[in-house]
Amino acid sequence: MTSATPVSDAYPYLRAASTGIRHHTRARAPRAERPASPADRVHLDVLHAHLTSLHQLLDQLADTTRPPHPAAGRHLATAHTRLWQATTAVHDAFHLLPMADAAPTETECHPERLPEGPPVLTICQRHLAAGHVVRRKTTPADLNAPAPGHTTTCAQ
């Protein structure tokens, strides 16, 4: 069964985001002339923003899919939970990385004056906002449960 909307036209913003991720993955891949560099806070912050947006999309898809197709909706809800676990791991990794070495001087920017707060806090604000939604829809037992095995047969 195929969709009436061509895949190329269905979700242009999601396609663009996926293309961006592929681009950054290739850009960070080690090459002969450049060894792989470890993750830094900037990359993890951007990745966290993408994961929380994807988390919101999965939440919407699960809510709209569940009434007409309960089994598919449950799988999307499970993916929603697993994505939240990945988002939490990225948030935790962000805080384990060292902060930038250079302290701002008078001529540099002052992140404490930004309306959304210092950049180090934006990931926490985003995580707390997403966590509020997760706690309303997911039980702590579900969040801590191991991932179940794949239970459906893939059609070819």
Side-chain angles (χ1 to χ4, degrees), residues 94-117:
F94 174 89
H95 286 293
L96 292 174
L97 290 175
M99 295 180 85
D101 295 335
T105 63
E106 278 305 308
T107 59
E108 293 178 343
C109 73
H110 293 275
E112 67 276 4
R113 297 182 189 161
L114 296 172
E116 66 273 7

Side-chain angles (χ1 to χ4, degrees), residues 120-145:
V120 72
L121 295 181
T122 57
I123 189 172
C124 295
Q125 291 169 342
R126 184 184 324 115
H127 198 73
L128 286 171
H132 178 70
V133 173
V134 169
R135 284 188 295 281
R136 282 185 316 156
K137 295 186 171 192
T138 312
T139 66
D142 287 340
L143 290 175
N144 294 320

Side-chain angles (χ1 to χ4, degrees), residues 18-92:
S18 297
T19 301
I21 288 176
R22 283 191 299 273
H23 167 76
H24 287 286
T25 301
R26 282 191 304 270
R28 292 199 46 85
R31 295 186 188 143
E33 70 274 3
R34 179 192 62 180
S37 59
D40 60 14
R41 284 181 161 219
V42 173
H43 283 102
L44 291 185
D45 185 31
V46 172
L47 179 59
H48 186 271
H50 189 77
L51 288 172
T52 52
S53 295
L54 187 57
H55 185 261
Q56 183 180 11
L57 175 62
L58 266 174
D59 184 36
Q60 293 169 353
L61 288 172
D63 285 349
T64 57
T65 303
R66 192 174 291 123
H69 308 286
R74 282 192 302 274
H75 279 284
L76 289 173
T78 299
H80 176 260
T81 300
R82 299 301 168 240
L83 186 60
W84 176 250
Q85 291 170 337
T87 304
T88 298
V90 169
H91 176 254
D92 293 346

